[in-house]
Amino acid sequence: SQTIHQWPATLVQPVGSPLSLECTVEGTSNPNLYWYRQAAGRGLQLLFYSVGIGQISSEVPQNLSASRPQDRQFILSSKKLLLSDSGFYLCAWRAGRYEQYFGPGTRLTVT
Amino acid sequence: QQPVQSPQAVILREGEDAVINCSSSKALYSVHWYRQKHGEAPVFLMILLKGGEQKGHEKISASFNEKKQQSSLYLTASQLSYSGTYFCGTEGGSNYKLTFGKGTLLTVNP
């Protein structure tokens, strides 16, 4: 069966510090991968998605970036965090055009 | 474009039924439904594909009207565990990405 991992689970970072969140998927190959952000009490905002290694599509212009160095690994990064970057970051995977599954998420607080 | 969900919130007593609607202004390939409990990640409930294919949890039912670009999620004989925020995600065209509605907060009381 497929499993999706995210770490860390929680993170507190000062404004201006860098960020690296990692997501890995097990039990499948060539998944579509997604990064979402959910602000407190809000909906799911798609940040990036990838249909293959090195292929990244950005949905929202901001100070975040994403990379997919391996087939089942998706990384979200920032060089300098802003207060507005606080939120619940969710990685998701999908096999083709079928159902999409979310990882457990990383709760980021920028102070 | 973001789909519109209705109602925004609903309160039920255990055993009652509820319907949550999701409407899009564009042609859809698929509609996905999720439930999210406070502080947790969204959990997959149901996918409905153009052409009639669907897959999901046994106790959850939903419909997809392709012509009207609308979907409804039917929660029958609700249980306390049904409480949470329900999101629909819609996919149009061939871009492999979902756009989510703002959510419907469902509260089931004893």
Side-chain angles (χ1 to χ4, degrees):
Chain A
S1 63
Q2 299 84 11
T3 309
I4 179 168
H5 303 278
Q6 283 187 249
W7 61 90
T10 60
L11 192 59
V12 180
Q13 293 283 94
V15 169
S17 63
L19 173 74
S20 181
L21 302 181
E22 189 165 342
C23 169
T24 59
V25 182
E26 296 177 354
T28 187
S29 59
N30 196 31
N32 295 336
L33 297 172
Y34 306 85
W35 278 112
Y36 290 85
R37 178 171 61 200
Q38 188 175 37
R42 304 296 294 275
L44 299 158
Q45 179 188 33
L46 179 62
L47 302 175
F48 301 95
Y49 69 101
S50 171
V51 298
I53 296 175
Q55 301 178 57
I56 309 293
S57 296
S58 173
E59 290 295 298
V60 183
Q62 56 205 338
N63 68 321
L64 299 172
S65 63
S67 63
R68 184 171 178 174
Q70 299 180 41
D71 181 43
R72 289 169 288 179
Q73 184 184 31
F74 206 21
I75 297 173
L76 182 70
S77 304
S78 174
K79 292 182 180 179
K80 289 185 178 181
L81 284 169
L82 307 172
L83 285 174
S84 58
D85 290 325
S86 292
F88 192 33
Y89 287 82
L90 292 153
C91 181
W93 77 272
R94 190 179 180 195
R97 303 193 77 175
Y98 292 97
E99 59 268 31
Q100 178 171 302
Y101 294 97
F102 287 90
T106 294
R107 196 163 301 281
L108 172 67
T109 303
V110 182
T111 60
Chain B
Q1 195 166 358
Q2 187 177 41
V4 177
Q5 288 187 233
S6 62
Q8 289 184 318
V10 59
I11 299 175
L12 301 174
R13 289 202 176 275
E14 250 185 312
E16 293 182 336
D17 302 338
V19 180
I20 301 173
N21 302 300
C22 177
S23 179
S24 175
S25 60
K26 63 178 185 179
L28 300 177
Y29 177 80
S30 66
V31 179
H32 304 232
W33 287 96
Y34 293 83
R35 176 171 59 218
Q36 184 178 30
K37 293 186 178 289
H38 184 69
E40 300 179 5
V43 173
F44 169 78
L45 296 176
M46 176 77 72
I47 177 174
L48 303 104
L49 295 154
K50 184 178 180 180
E53 184 180 356
Q54 55 179 259
K55 177 183 175 182
H57 288 260
E58 292 179 357
K59 296 185 178 181
I60 302 288
S61 64
S63 64
F64 178 23
N65 186 323
E66 298 171 28
K67 289 184 179 180
K68 294 185 176 180
Q69 297 104 50
Q70 294 175 346
S71 178
S72 295
L73 185 69
Y74 305 97
L75 302 169
T76 57
S78 60
Q79 305 172 16
L80 295 176
S81 61
Y82 286 11
S83 292
T85 300
Y86 288 76
F87 290 98
C88 73
T90 57
E91 178 186 24
S94 59
N95 54 21
Y96 297 93
K97 61 179 182 179
L98 301 181
T99 303
F100 287 89
K102 293 184 177 181
T104 294
L105 178 61
L106 178 74
T107 304
V108 181
N109 293 321

